[in-house]
Amino acid sequence: MTSVVPIAWDAPGPYRVAFATRAGGTSDGPYASLNLGLLTADDEARVLENRRRLCAAVGADAARATMSHQQHGTTVTRARPTGIVARGLPTSAATAAGRTSRARRWCS
């Protein structure tokens, strides 16, 4: 099994930033391998497992992490610790970026 290997970016300030490649996931077919999107026809259980794996690789708490429905624009939404690995997750508001004022919170 290939591991999830995040690409770290040494961002200025008190931030920890990382990017993921497609390696290390459980999805197959057109969504192989590390598909993180629930708004696809990929199997939900595989997407949730992929999200768990990514969180583990970057040291984030998947039950408190958050993801947005990203769209290009000027809207910035305050991140809320909703968790990203539960079945039936609500679709969050479309936003261009997420922000948080709390330390050690992960946004995507």
Side-chain angles (χ1 to χ4, degrees):
M1 169 179 34
T2 304
S3 297
V4 175
V5 181
I7 301 166
W9 174 42
D10 188 20
Y15 307 103
R16 182 169 176 212
V17 179
F19 300 90
T21 67
R22 299 288 294 208
T26 63
S27 298
D28 56 13
Y31 305 104
S33 149
L34 189 72
N35 178 35
L36 303 173
L38 284 172
L39 301 178
T40 66
D42 196 1
D43 180 79
E44 183 180 271
R46 289 179 185 257
V47 172
L48 298 179
E49 176 58 25
N50 291 342
R51 290 177 175 195
R52 278 186 206 91
R53 289 179 181 203
L54 178 58
C55 286
V58 299
D61 179 357
R64 296 192 50 81
T66 189
M67 293 184 83
S68 63
H69 178 81
Q70 186 175 9
Q71 88 179 27
H72 295 283
T74 58
T75 304
V76 177
T77 304
R78 183 176 180 147
R80 308 254 185 245
T82 58
I84 61 170
V85 293
R87 291 190 176 275
L89 288 169
T91 302
S92 62
T95 186
R99 69 168 178 85
T100 182
S101 58
R102 296 191 139 168
R104 303 196 49 79
R105 291 285 168 89
W106 285 85
C107 307
S108 171

